[in-house]
Amino acid sequence: MARQEPKKDVVIVGLGWTGAIMGMELAEAGLEIIALERGADRQTVPEMKYPQMIDELSQGERHKLMQRPSQSTITIRRDQSETALPMRKWGSFLLGNGVGGSGVHWNGQSWRPQPVELRLRSYISERWNPSIIPEDMTIDDYPVSYDELEPYFDRFEYVAGISGTAGNLNGEIRAGGNPFEGWRSRDYPMPALPMTYNGAKFTEAARAMGYHPFPRPGGNASTSYVNEYGMQMAACNFCGFCERYGCYQYSKSSPQTTILAALFRKPNFSYRTEAEVLRVEIAPDARSATGVTYFDETTGEEVFQPADIVILAAYQIENVRLMLLSGIGRPYDPTTGEGVTGKNYGYQITGSTSLFFRDEYFNPFVGSGVNGVCIDDFGISAIDFAAEGFIGGAYISSAQTNGQPIRSMPLPEHTPEWGQGWKAAIGAWYGHEMSISHHASVMSYRGHYCDLDPTYKDRHGRPLMRITFDWHPNELRLNAYLREKIEALARAMQPDHMAANYKGFDSRYDVRPYQTTHNTGGSIMSTTPQGGSVNRYLQAWDKHNIFVLGAGAFVQNTQYNPTGLVGGLAYWAAAAIRHQYLRDPRPLV
Amino acid sequence: MTTVLRCLSALIGIATFFILALVWLPIERTPPSEALPADWTPERGAGEYAMRAANCMACHTKEGGSPFAGGRAIKTPLGTIYSANITPDPETGIGNWTLDQFRASLIDGMSADGTHLYPAMPYENYRLLSERDIRALYGFFSKEVEPIKHRVAATDLIFPFNQRWGIRALNWLTLTHDSGFTGRMGNEVLDRGEYLVEGPGHCAACHSPRNFYMGQAAITAKDAEFLVGGHIEGQEAPALRGSKSHIADWSLEELTAFLATGRNFAATANGEMGLVVTHSLQYLSDADIGAMARFLKALDGQPQSPVEIAVQQGPLSRPAPEANAKGEKTARMLTEAGPNMSLGARIFIDNCAQCHFVTGRGAPEIFPALQGNSLVLSEDITALVSIILWGAELEGTDRRPMPLVMQGYENRLSDTEIAELASFIRQAWGNRASALTSDDVRAIREAGLP
């Protein structure tokens, strides 16, 4: 018999970005809230303090901040004919763990989607013809528009402390910003960060080719910042340890720097760490949840936490898994296309060109997670899909996030990978390289989905999440197109050497090298209960007191880093709960 | 010879008489400064507010202990004093005290049984409390505070202060000013500010020097040494007035922000002042904090802004300041980071510049400036070295909930390295203070956390 805790108004599963946002919003509404976090508690000092935090071997390579594969992992296969195998060391993506979640170890890059990305099927149908959408591509419109979400994007950016240069202020295109972005009601809360030399070179080349370079927006503070809760950030010093690390100097936007200390002062909010939620408990009528059951790591027992509202605020993969384990939404069946939970798993595709300049020095150790200059001239809204033969787009950027010695030693092609020759090449080329990369959309497909693994289980005996995903010819064509554009830019900059890092047309998904932690879908939003797991307010279609936050809601992935949309949707859902749901708990659609 | 003997015995006689008088003379309590009707009741919340303004909680609560149950050790040059339990517990607290006894503890430094309180209790300052605030406080401590049974450790002082009559003698010498408060500043806001600073806020208890008898050398603005700087528990309490004071070039807005949140464009509240902000000042109204800041500025004759001052709410974006003329040379040297830099400068770049910047000016609201920083420049190096060794923490407040924590470097830097580093920052950016030796650092490290 599980221990039972006193009932709360709200239980939040996971205390990362979305859990913290929802916690604050609902605490301000006066509700009694408990958040359950499976990992440890964590603050800037002492857990992220200098210099222990910036140890590349323990953090960068051994993933100290991440979920332990022994705790729980996932199985992966590329198509239904393969047997999925469990990941025993993270590679392609890195799942956060502990208070702050992945909001602790991200780079900070924060974007809004383009308005057309949220109504992609209609956009394609209106501009070209629905027939250009491949038969197995299951893209759709989001059931919420950019205009509806704009105030919530804005709210997230102002809480999270995002630096940037507005390109479209209330419809007016502004020099220096991204002219392809959706309208924003006001400028970023902080000006863009200064750029490093690679950015200046890229800007010059891009301008010469008629493109529209702009500084990448994101959560590395460019000034001291105080947000609406009085939480504070300090100007980033470009130490070059963002992604995979916690920020030791309060400069990176995270739940710790922007929400948590303010939230923890609320007497109606509490949280427990080392509390891994095992399942959502469903009422006998199957139309609502009664709470969640979690494993208390400190006592080694199962605990039932009753609550009137259940917020799933874990990472996309764990949210979808909890839904499948608890019977929230019918599991998706790729053979029939029926069912919803697990549907439209999405990812992103990236590629890059390294440029080596014998006589230029880039000081690569001067970097920040957001640092970089981008162009959106090959974004989704700018490409003629019918003419190019693919659907999707990307932003292209020249970043310089770090010069870390283990993972950031780019060398020209045909350099020996070890020994004397390798050492000589490091001596000759360290610091002489800059790169141009793309960060591209991945559409949703009938065969890309999440379900419960039939074989492998975690330490609690629960099936692992199984992901079925591979590169689709549509994205490989997009990738080839982007490579052409990048290489033209690179050649214009006249480097001494170039090295290409792109997928070929026969590439299959490889889980080993890091790509992006931008896993999406599986608990997608939809206009009807047949289309997805949650409605436009992220409320589970079949159980009205469950709300599922995070990138699982993405109908298809965008071309951008997902956090801006994740944050905006969390505020959007919070407003729906506060202003519509609480006064009359019911299905909102 | 007989004359000498006669004089001596006369002197001894007089001394004996005084001592006997000190011991036996019946005690007298100062009457209320305002005659309030017996049924006068303070406004709701006024008692708690006065408690916050007088910061009773900071001293009368032990770390991790129940509020007001006492037992906090206060280190003074006379020995360690343990604060009293002031909850309404009749046995171990003040539950049986009458209003007159309660008032006497605040304004005469006298306990209910007539014995004298140790001067860690700032009754010299509380002597200025208005009768209304005293009544409000009495109501708060007799009705609103939860009674806690907690007997505190006995205080152990050196002779003659371990004799309560010794304290009485001290009071005869120091407690000479009138009780109650009369405004002198000529306007209501400044009078309110003066009242809060001199009376409940008891700023002079730390920020004024102590006299020969360990009493406060200056209680009110009339006194020459008022707020010209003092010491508290081994930490320097900087001067709050005069052209060379730490706050002389702070604007009214910045001073207000510091008092209300413990942080502003250039400074964070450390140590005892951090406690003052988190236990007391953060709870005062914007109007009262503004009045205190205006009064402090008026002490130096600075012109008064007519605009109402309030702590700025987010979103706020404030760039880190560029190096100024005094600091330019150091900033350039650190930026160039040449191979001939001193060890102190190198250690600064490797460990400190990330937050305090090569400009030495820090970052507004979050990382304090080291240039012109009174703690950095203090003659007493204990606080500076302690912070480098063990770090510092300013707790969050409602309006700035983020705790600001500087990590310690105890395990990363040797005594020599800390001495070099501290000497460097005491002499960089136009700072002028003496260098340290590794022996200085060793002594502080060996003494352990203050």
Side-chain angles (χ1 to χ4, degrees):
Chain A
M1 179 66 191
R3 188 176 94 212
Q4 182 164 337
E5 289 285 336
K7 188 174 172 186
K8 294 280 183 178
D9 296 325
V10 182
V11 61
I12 296 177
V13 180
L15 193 50
W17 267 126
T18 59
I21 288 170
M22 191 58 92
M24 188 56 126
E25 288 297 300
L26 298 186
E28 284 184 344
L31 300 179
E32 285 291 328
I33 300 158
I34 177 116
L36 301 173
E37 166 56 49
R38 76 179 167 190
D41 209 347
R42 194 188 280 148
Q43 281 155 30
T44 300
V45 179
E47 284 82 6
M48 303 176 201
K49 78 176 189 176
Y50 175 86
Q52 287 83 351
M53 175 45 74
I54 59 169
D55 174 347
E56 191 188 6
L57 188 60
S58 64
Q59 311 290 352
E61 283 290 295
R62 295 179 182 159
H63 309 147
K64 211 169 146 190
L65 288 175
M66 313 304 166
Q67 174 181 324
R68 307 277 90 199
S70 60
Q71 221 179 345
S72 183
T73 185
I74 49 173
T75 68
I76 293 208
R77 59 180 183 171
R78 294 170 298 188
D79 60 48
Q80 290 178 66
S81 72
E82 292 186 330
T83 301
L85 292 172
M87 290 185 79
R88 296 175 191 274
K89 182 181 190 326
W90 300 122
S92 179
F93 43 82
L94 297 170
L95 308 179
N97 195 36
V99 171
S102 300
V104 168
H105 74 81
W106 71 319
N107 255 334
Q109 303 177 4
S110 180
W111 299 80
R112 299 175 176 195
Q114 294 188 335
V116 296
E117 293 185 281
L118 300 186
R119 51 185 301 277
L120 194 57
R121 183 168 278 275
S122 298
Y123 169 67
I124 294 167
S125 306
E126 286 159 16
R127 181 147 169 213
W128 298 279
N129 189 311
S131 67
I132 70 165
I133 301 174
E135 184 272 327
D136 63 339
M137 190 185 280
T138 49
I139 59 173
D140 212 331
D141 292 355
Y142 281 59
V144 55
S145 70
Y146 182 92
D147 289 358
E148 285 175 297
L149 289 177
E150 201 286 334
Y152 304 96
F153 292 142
D154 177 80
R155 182 87 189 286
F156 176 70
E157 288 163 355
Y158 270 73
V159 167
I162 304 299
S163 304
T165 303
N168 179 346
L169 207 51
N170 290 304
E172 181 203 330
I173 303 302
R174 315 249 297 185
N178 176 7
F180 300 97
E181 72 175 356
W183 66 278
R184 52 182 63 246
S185 47
R186 52 180 172 167
D187 207 336
Y188 287 98
M190 278 178 275
L193 292 149
M195 71 170 84
T196 44
Y197 179 49
N198 64 302
K201 271 185 90 72
F202 178 78
T203 301
E204 199 187 328
R207 283 228 176 95
M209 294 180 79
Y211 303 143
H212 303 84
F214 60 94
R216 186 201 316 269
N220 299 163
S222 60
T223 67
S224 278
Y225 187 65
V226 180
N227 74 9
E228 64 176 273
Y229 307 130
M231 293 294 287
Q232 296 173 250
M233 295 165 76
C236 170
N237 67 16
F238 285 70
C239 81
F241 288 87
C242 287
E243 191 167 65
R244 305 188 185 205
Y245 307 87
C247 179
Y248 60 78
Q249 76 145 33
Y250 305 94
S251 298
K252 185 164 70 179
S253 174
S254 68
Q256 274 80 355
T257 49
T258 65
I259 299 174
L260 291 178
L263 178 57
F264 295 165
R265 295 177 83 81
K266 301 270 178 200
N268 50 335
F269 177 89
S270 61
Y271 68 109
R272 282 182 218 129
T273 56
E274 317 283 345
E276 181 174 15
V277 173
L278 301 176
R279 61 191 169 272
V280 179
E281 301 294 350
I282 306 299
D285 68 358
R287 293 169 64 177
S288 63
T290 58
V292 302
T293 294
Y294 68 91
F295 181 74
D296 182 340
E297 205 74 52
T298 51
T299 62
E301 63 184 331
E302 286 193 11
V303 183
F304 176 52
Q305 174 62 62
D308 287 331
I309 299 175
V310 173
I311 306 287
L312 296 185
Y315 192 72
Q316 171 262 351
I317 289 173
E318 194 61 18
N319 270 355
V320 176
R321 179 165 173 241
L322 281 172
M323 293 170 79
L324 291 168
L325 288 167
S326 314
I328 302 164
R330 206 172 128 201
Y332 172 69
D333 180 348
T335 320
T336 61
E338 287 173 3
V340 290
T341 301
K343 181 179 173 181
N344 283 14
Y345 173 78
Y347 197 50
Q348 262 153 346
I349 188 164
T350 54
S352 65
T353 297
S354 286
L355 290 70
F356 295 88
F357 297 86
R358 195 167 280 120
D359 300 321
E360 308 256 27
Y361 197 66
F362 294 97
N363 288 332
F365 41 83
V366 178
S368 84
V370 167
N371 178 39
V373 175
C374 307
I375 54 169
D376 222 348
D377 297 79
F378 304 102
I380 282 185
S381 66
I383 294 177
D384 183 341
F385 298 152
E388 302 298 346
F390 59 78
I391 289 169
Y395 71 85
I396 289 172
S397 70
S398 177
Q400 182 169 302
T401 61
N402 74 84
Q404 291 161 26
I406 303 175
R407 293 170 306 118
S408 298
M409 287 288 172
L411 292 170
E413 276 163 351
H414 313 300
T415 305
E417 287 182 13
W418 60 279
Q420 207 65 48
W422 177 82
K423 282 185 190 166
I426 291 287
W429 293 109
Y430 181 77
H432 294 274
E433 184 260 7
M434 62 171 276
S435 75
I436 306 176
S437 58
H438 75 72
H439 185 278
S441 61
V442 166
M443 295 298 126
S444 301
Y445 298 95
R446 178 169 299 154
H448 295 175
Y449 68 106
C450 307
D451 65 354
L452 294 175
D453 192 275
T455 311
Y456 295 98
K457 295 185 167 52
D458 70 6
R459 64 200 175 116
H460 304 294
R462 300 179 302 165
L464 297 182
M465 176 70 104
R466 176 171 67 176
I467 291 173
T468 306
F469 178 77
D470 202 357
W471 302 122
H472 188 280
N474 178 70
E475 274 66 39
L476 294 173
R477 284 197 293 274
L478 165 63
N479 177 61
Y481 168 87
L482 294 164
R483 176 178 183 168
E484 231 173 76
K485 304 296 173 195
I486 290 175
E487 288 184 342
L489 263 163
R491 277 192 300 273
M493 293 166 74
Q494 299 180 313
D496 297 306
H497 293 283
M498 288 185 2
N501 179 19
Y502 296 92
K503 286 150 194 90
F505 283 112
D506 56 352
S507 284
R508 302 205 65 186
Y509 179 47
D510 182 348
V511 298
R512 294 166 303 170
Y514 184 77
Q515 290 155 71
T516 68
T517 306
H518 302 162
N519 315 71
T520 65
S523 58
I524 64 171
M525 318 169 78
S526 59
T527 317
T528 66
Q530 292 73 41
S533 308
V534 299
N535 64 25
R536 68 197 306 258
Y537 301 111
L538 305 187
Q539 181 183 37
W541 278 113
D542 60 349
K543 290 166 184 69
H544 66 84
N545 65 345
I546 301 174
F547 291 79
V548 187
L549 311 180
F554 291 14
V555 181
Q556 59 273 334
N557 207 347
T558 73
Q559 67 183 29
Y560 299 110
N561 311 60
T563 311
L565 179 52
V566 166
L569 284 173
Y571 277 110
W572 160 258
I577 294 173
R578 287 181 74 166
H579 305 306
Q580 298 182 53
Y581 184 75
L582 288 180
R583 67 178 135 80
D584 178 15
R586 67 200 186 282
L588 294 174
V589 177
Chain B
M1 189 65 192
T2 40
T3 322
V4 175
L5 276 177
R6 206 176 294 150
C7 284
L8 203 63
S9 58
L11 277 173
I12 291 171
I14 290 167
T16 314
F17 172 78
F18 265 105
I19 288 173
L20 287 175
L22 276 169
V23 177
W24 296 111
L25 212 66
I27 49 159
E28 260 182 70
R29 296 195 177 100
T30 307
S33 59
E34 181 187 358
L36 290 175
D39 61 350
W40 181 87
T41 47
E43 272 178 51
R44 200 183 157 80
E48 185 175 352
Y49 191 81
M51 177 278 292
R52 290 297 186 188
N55 199 8
C56 313
M57 192 181 254
C59 290
H60 286 281
T61 307
K62 193 164 73 172
E63 207 169 308
S66 307
F68 310 113
R72 184 179 142 95
I74 298 158
K75 292 193 188 102
T76 76
L78 318 178
T80 300
I81 294 170
Y82 293 93
S83 64
N85 178 349
I86 54 168
T87 71
D89 179 57
E91 200 184 318
T92 61
I94 60 169
N96 291 330
W97 288 26
T98 65
L99 171 63
D100 286 340
Q101 290 170 326
F102 180 78
R103 182 188 306 107
S105 72
L106 295 172
I107 68 174
D108 293 319
M110 195 185 288
S111 191
D113 61 4
T115 55
H116 288 272
L117 301 174
Y118 298 111
M121 168 78 172
Y123 48 81
E124 291 170 276
N125 315 93
Y126 291 165
R127 195 166 171 81
L128 306 181
L129 282 174
S130 71
E131 178 64 10
R132 286 155 195 262
D133 275 349
I134 291 173
R135 290 275 289 267
L137 284 167
Y138 183 67
F140 177 74
F141 282 108
S142 47
K143 296 195 194 76
E144 293 175 39
V145 171
E146 197 194 334
I148 304 285
K149 194 182 284 297
H150 176 231
R151 209 172 290 282
V152 302
T155 290
D156 186 20
L157 300 189
I158 55 169
F159 183 85
F161 304 104
N162 56 358
Q163 308 293 305
R164 294 277 182 161
W165 57 262
I167 305 290
R168 193 173 187 192
L170 203 66
N171 286 351
W172 282 3
L173 293 163
T174 58
L175 213 54
T176 53
H177 51 292
D178 291 339
S179 70
F181 176 81
T182 318
R184 279 187 300 268
M185 299 297 291
N187 84 52
E188 218 175 283
V189 173
L190 290 180
D191 282 346
R192 176 70 180 163
E194 178 175 12
Y195 172 69
L196 289 165
V197 167
E198 293 177 353
H202 62 282
C203 308
C206 300
H207 291 279
S208 292
R210 295 270 162 172
N211 59 26
F212 180 73
Y213 314 106
M214 298 310 296
Q216 294 172 33
I219 310 285
T220 72
K222 282 189 299 186
D223 305 320
E225 293 186 288
F226 184 60
L227 304 185
V228 299
H231 282 86
I232 170 74
E233 295 205 17
Q235 190 184 342
E236 184 174 307
L240 302 181
R241 62 192 297 194
S243 60
K244 290 200 174 110
S245 86
H246 190 44
I247 64 168
D249 53 0
W250 292 7
S251 68
L252 194 54
E253 287 81 357
E254 295 294 352
L255 180 55
T256 306
F258 183 83
L259 294 174
T261 68
R263 53 204 88 183
N264 68 5
F265 77 118
T268 51
N270 284 296
E272 296 294 318
M273 191 61 199
L275 295 180
V276 172
V277 171
T278 52
H279 287 299
S280 169
L281 296 175
Q282 68 153 320
Y283 297 100
L284 302 195
S285 66
D286 277 2
D288 276 352
I289 290 286
M292 292 173 82
R294 279 169 198 271
F295 167 69
L296 290 171
K297 285 287 165 193
L299 281 177
D300 277 342
Q302 290 201 14
Q304 297 290 305
S305 149
V307 189
E308 181 126 340
I309 304 297
V311 175
Q312 281 188 287
Q313 294 297 304
L316 290 174
S317 157
R318 302 177 74 178
E322 301 288 328
N324 55 21
K326 273 185 184 169
E328 211 178 329
K329 204 174 133 208
T330 309
R332 200 173 335 112
M333 183 269 287
L334 290 169
T335 305
E336 286 166 2
N340 298 323
M341 271 190 314
S342 69
L343 177 60
R346 270 166 42 204
I347 293 168
F348 180 83
I349 289 184
D350 283 347
N351 297 281
C352 318
Q354 291 94 325
C355 298
H356 298 286
F357 292 97
V358 296
T359 61
R361 298 185 71 190
E365 297 248 5
I366 184 158
F367 302 136
L370 303 180
Q371 183 184 46
N373 183 319
S374 62
L375 188 146
V376 169
L377 295 169
S378 173
E379 257 176 65
D380 186 341
I381 54 163
T382 317
L384 173 62
V385 173
S386 298
I387 288 179
I388 296 173
L389 280 169
W390 300 297
E393 174 166 5
L394 170 63
E395 283 177 39
T397 66
D398 266 347
R399 283 181 283 194
R400 294 289 186 273
M402 182 113 110
L404 297 181
V405 190
M406 160 153 163
Q407 63 177 79
Y409 289 80
E410 180 189 13
N411 300 320
R412 186 164 158 82
L413 299 178
S414 70
D415 293 342
T416 309
E417 288 169 328
I418 290 177
E420 290 289 326
L421 169 64
S423 302
F424 170 75
I425 62 175
R426 279 160 70 84
Q427 294 168 357
W429 312 289
N431 283 351
R432 292 275 171 273
S434 61
L436 275 61
T437 67
S438 57
D439 287 344
D440 294 333
V441 179
R442 186 177 315 122
I444 295 168
R445 195 196 286 263
E446 278 168 7
L449 260 173

